Each structure stands twice: as structure tokens, then as C-alpha cells.
Amino acid sequence: MENSIKSKHSTGLAQLIEEKLDIYFARLNGACSKGCLYEQIIREVEKPLLKATLKVAQGNKLKASEMLGINRNTLRKKLKEHALE
């Protein structure tokens, strides 16, 4: 049962992201065509992911890092990079 729940959520999120990326690319209109796209999108997606995870973890950075599957120090570094600390 748990796998089917994860699958439904993953598919829903993937579909939402794909729809938003279509809009994003339309707005770019070719403005970022030489290798900066990956970094730009990851940077923009990472911040809301960190914020949402911290919210679910009720501000507990250890719990948030465990949920994300990253080291607590890595989480702290990313929070600092995104001015979330």
C-alpha cells in the first residue's frame, strides 16, 4: 500500500513540475541556452523544498536532514546559501 501511495504522489509531483517547466521555458524564450539551465532550476527548486521540509519537521534540522537524506551539516550549508537560517 505504501508503494502505491508514494507512486501516486511522485507521479502527481512530476506532472506538476513538468507543467510548470513548460511555462518556465515559454517565458525564457531561449534566454538561457548555454549551460546555465540545470543550476538555475535546481537552485530555484531547492529553496522551497528546504522550506517545506523544515516546516514539516517543525524546524528540527536533524529531522529535516534525515527526511531529505542528507547530512545535517549539508542541510545547514544549503540553508545558509538560500538565506533560510
Side-chain angles (χ1 to χ4, degrees), residues 21-79:
L21 284 172
D22 286 343
I23 295 166
Y24 185 77
F25 282 120
R27 289 181 181 164
L28 276 180
N29 199 23
C32 190
S33 60
K34 293 200 176 183
C36 65
L37 193 56
Y38 181 81
E39 280 292 321
Q40 185 175 343
I41 290 174
I42 294 302
R43 189 173 45 251
E44 289 189 33
V45 169
E46 190 173 52
K47 185 174 182 175
L49 172 61
L50 295 172
K51 285 174 71 172
T53 305
L54 276 173
K55 184 177 179 180
V56 170
Q58 299 176 333
N60 184 320
K61 292 176 187 161
L62 177 59
K63 185 176 178 182
S65 69
E66 289 171 350
M67 291 171 69
L68 290 165
I70 61 175
N71 182 287
R72 187 174 61 173
N73 289 331
T74 301
L75 175 60
R76 288 178 185 214
K77 177 184 169 194
K78 290 181 176 296
L79 292 173

